[in-house]
Amino acid sequence: MSSRSDLTIIRVCFIFFLLGVLVELCDGGITSGYVRGVNDLPDDMPLDSDVFKVPPGPNAPQQVHITQGNHEGNGVIISWVTPSAPCSNTVRYWSENGKSKKEAEATINIYRFFNYTSGYIHHCLIDDLEFDMKYHYEIGSGKWSRRFWFFTPPKPGPDVPYTFGLIGDLGQTYDSNRTLSHYEMNPGKGQAVLFLGDLSYADRYPLHDNNRWDTWGRFVERSVAYQPWIWTAGNHEIDYVPDIGETEPFKPFTNRYHTPYKASGSISPLWYSIKRASAYIIVMSCYSSYGIYTPQYKWLQKEFQRVNRTETPWLIVLVHCPFYHSYVHHYMEGETMRVMYEPWFVKYKVDVVFAGHVHAYERSERVSNIAYNIVNGLCEPISDESAPVYITIGDGGNSEGLLTDMMQPQPSYSAFREPSFGHGLLDIKNRTHAFFSWNRNQDGSSVEADSVLLLNRFWRAQEKTLVVA
């Protein structure tokens, strides 16, 4: 009888031990209690919506967008589409106080996708602009020409303040429009957008209807014609459909949206880097080969080594698929890439990693999971001051809707999570401090629902070294 009692006591003690371990591993942060209204469904906007309106005039330029055009930041790529014929390929541009206009020539291309033929896509690279300057530009000809403007960033430097907007998985629904409107109205005033992949969601329409790339281009023009969007490719940009004869991955995306990849020594427009103000931004492609000795791997190996944190102290990585999140859908989808590259993130003290893909918001603690080998069994994320914060912001408003099923209990690496649509702002103050905020789409206004003060990993380590010395 006593042996049975002893066995029962041992079992009870073991259960309490397991519960204790579980609590320690899953002592997570905050799961927001905000509940979205029942009518907040991501319905597509109808094709006759104002946001899809074609500009007036025969063959007038449309879908105008800009992105950074070189590595340093004083270049811009201006792109637009004319629907029925090539128009003038000349861009006329001038600085705010300039006395004369300059001209640059665009290249023109078209592409075909199944039964769709694109309009005439123009891309114009303008290099060697002045830093920290407002420029006006004009495209088209005659009475139907169109004018826009943009600001170049300040010259790269360690204490240059700059504010980035963050949007991912946007699509073209009513919620997409709300997200973009809230970003535009945000008093934080983002100066450029870091876009985290999944643009138009044209692949969700029958036969990957590429007309939906056109409607999306007109929808976002009101922002991206005036400030650069830095592009990350997502899974909805792959457009690989061998059943209808489409076997060239990323064909619509790479024809429409150029990136300055050659300026950073990359061989692919899907992975590249730029400097902008006090930030060094590395864009990775999780839907291209990234294993050891692949072109992306070899490029990244050199890229991390050449970052000068005394010039651009904020090291930021953009990748579509998250390394850390705690939603059931897409859980651990980025695991192979994490295993490959997380040690580099820690070694080179990446400050923050932004991702999309998961249609919700989540912010992690500074954690790493790089100690494992086949002997030690150390396979849990642990607190690591050299690790980045991982922020998932794939909540732009796309038609697939929000993810609401979460891992329970909340894992210890998760600091805050909420399944709502919204956008983010990264406000870099100086070499040591930056402020990130996530803004929920709620009640017709942009509501700051989560925020965190970020301390630069490189300069924090330098200060600790000086204190010890």
Side-chain angles (χ1 to χ4, degrees), residues 271-272 282-285 290 294-306 317 337 341 344-345 348:
W271 66 83
Y272 61 98
I282 296 177
V283 180
M284 299 174 65
S285 176
Y290 55 78
T294 61
Q296 184 172 193
Y297 177 94
K298 291 191 286 187
W299 176 80
L300 282 165
Q301 193 173 36
K302 295 178 180 178
E303 186 64 22
F304 280 109
Q305 294 174 8
R306 74 173 186 160
V317 171
M337 195 174 223
Y341 294 108
W344 292 1
F345 289 4
Y348 294 104

Side-chain angles (χ1 to χ4, degrees), residues 207-223:
L207 303 174
H208 290 227
D209 184 1
N210 272 225
N211 290 289
R212 280 297 187 168
W213 278 103
D214 295 316
T215 55
W216 193 83
R218 294 195 292 271
F219 161 49
V220 298
E221 181 188 90
R222 70 194 203 222
S223 173

Side-chain angles (χ1 to χ4, degrees), residues 248-316:
E248 180 186 339
F250 301 100
K251 183 198 283 188
F253 174 75
T254 54
N255 274 279
R256 292 171 180 270
Y257 294 95
H258 281 194
T259 64
Y261 68 98
K262 292 181 181 178
S264 59
S266 170
I267 65 167
S268 169
L270 305 178
W271 66 83
Y272 61 98
S273 70
I274 60 170
K275 300 177 188 177
R276 198 163 186 90
S278 51
Y280 199 103
I281 298 163
I282 296 177
V283 180
M284 299 174 65
S285 176
C286 51
Y287 301 106
S288 304
S289 299
Y290 55 78
I292 191 167
Y293 305 133
T294 61
Q296 184 172 193
Y297 177 94
K298 291 191 286 187
W299 176 80
L300 282 165
Q301 193 173 36
K302 295 178 180 178
E303 186 64 22
F304 280 109
Q305 294 174 8
R306 74 173 186 160
V307 180
N308 179 3
R309 304 294 284 273
T310 62
E311 180 192 35
T312 49
W314 291 94
L315 182 51
I316 299 166

